[in-house]
């Protein structure tokens, strides 16, 4: 009897982790404008949800099933966010303000394949170099490291743009040339 209860708890836990992970991914896909992929994911999500909820409701008198369901839900939120982080969908815009107005900063970032728009700025302590850099989210951490190598004291702010239109950079990304020097040479 204990084996049956343990198997049921394990199944409910796993099913809910899968369901909530799919739910998280679907929500993020929807927010990123990928509605058709989100709709496809939601078909599987609802099947898993109904199966898991059915197991709990059929055995509602067993408190361990309800606890497994709740625990699976919490774990699913964490797993879903980790999956989304690994997928790194979309783009990130990074604004950088450097206390060193040396224009080699922009050249070095452009050589690495980043699209950089820069302008001179004036801050509390004098001249600054201000830059706006757009990159796929999967390169976000690499970009931060590049910036910190060039100027460890740079002020960095990032956000996700909702819509991108035009510019040479979008064409480079679509051709797969961004941050891939081998493709640039061919």
């Amino acid at each position: 009897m204990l084996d049956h209860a343990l198997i049921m708890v394990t199944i409910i836990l796993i099913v809910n982790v899968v369901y909530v992970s799919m739910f998280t991914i679907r929500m993020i896909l929807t927010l990123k404008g990928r509605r058709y992929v989100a709709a496809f994911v939601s078909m599987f999500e609802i099947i898993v949800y109904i199966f898991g909820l059915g197991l709990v409701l059929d055995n509602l008198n067993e408190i361990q099933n309800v606890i497994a369901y709740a625990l699976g839900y919490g774990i699913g939120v964490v797993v879903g966010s980790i999956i989304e982080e690994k997928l790194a969908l979309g783009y990130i815009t990074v604004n950088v303000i450097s206390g060193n107005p040396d224009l080699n900063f922009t050249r070095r970032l452009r050589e690495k394949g980043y699209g950089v728009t820069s302008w001179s700025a004036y801050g509390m302590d004098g001249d600054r170099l201000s830059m706006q850099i757009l990159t796929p989210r999967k390169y976000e951490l690499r970009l931060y490291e590049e910036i910190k190598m060039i100027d460890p004291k740079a002020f960095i702010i990032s956000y996700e743009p909702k819509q991108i239109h035009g510019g040479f950079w979008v064409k480079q990304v679509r051709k797969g040339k961004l941050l891939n020097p081998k493709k640039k040479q061919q």
Side-chain angles (χ1 to χ4, degrees):
M1 190 70 164
L2 184 62
D3 286 345
H4 176 69
L6 189 59
I7 290 171
M8 181 62 80
V9 165
T10 304
I11 290 171
I12 291 171
L13 181 76
I14 291 170
V15 164
N16 223 26
V17 168
V18 170
Y19 157 66
V20 178
S21 297
M22 292 175 84
F23 173 83
T24 304
I25 299 298
R26 177 185 51 87
M27 288 302 298
I28 290 165
L29 288 168
T30 303
L31 292 171
K32 300 283 185 187
R34 298 185 182 189
R35 64 179 68 122
Y36 297 112
V37 178
F40 184 74
V41 169
S42 71
M43 292 185 311
F44 295 101
E45 171 197 341
I46 200 66
I47 291 168
V48 173
Y49 170 72
I50 291 169
F51 179 73
L53 187 60
L55 288 174
V56 173
L57 291 178
D58 286 347
N59 301 291
L60 202 53
N61 58 332
E62 303 292 332
I63 190 69
Q64 69 270 14
N65 293 346
V66 176
I67 292 169
Y69 190 84
L71 186 62
Y73 201 97
I75 294 170
V77 169
V78 172
V79 170
S81 64
I82 290 170
I83 292 170
E84 191 280 330
E85 219 172 76
K86 297 292 182 195
L87 290 174
L89 300 171
Y91 299 91
I92 192 86
T93 298
V94 179
N95 288 336
V96 179
I97 300 173
S98 174
N100 181 0
D102 178 14
L103 293 180
N104 281 335
F105 202 129
T106 56
R107 182 185 53 75
R108 287 173 64 182
L109 288 175
R110 286 182 183 127
E111 285 173 355
K112 300 281 185 183
Y114 295 102
V116 181
T117 300
S118 63
W119 59 93
S120 296
Y122 188 78
M124 186 169 76
D125 294 327
D127 290 337
R128 301 277 183 260
L129 173 64
S130 190
M131 294 168 281
Q132 188 170 56
I133 306 158
L134 182 67
T135 189
R137 278 192 52 222
K138 63 183 175 182
Y139 300 130
E140 182 179 5
L141 297 178
R142 188 185 312 172
L143 174 59
Y144 294 154
E145 292 304 315
E146 294 288 342
I147 292 168
K148 289 174 188 174
M149 282 175 44
I150 298 168
D151 183 0
K153 294 181 180 181
F155 179 68
I156 304 168
I157 301 173
S158 64
Y159 57 92
E160 288 188 56
K162 185 166 173 96
Q163 185 175 356
I164 300 170
H165 174 75
F168 91 96
W169 189 85
V170 174
K171 293 175 193 170
Q172 298 293 75
V173 170
R174 288 197 181 124
K175 292 178 185 175
K177 292 182 178 178
L178 181 69
L179 302 174
N180 195 344
K182 290 179 184 173
K183 284 192 177 181
K184 282 184 184 178
Q185 292 171 355
Q186 291 176 346

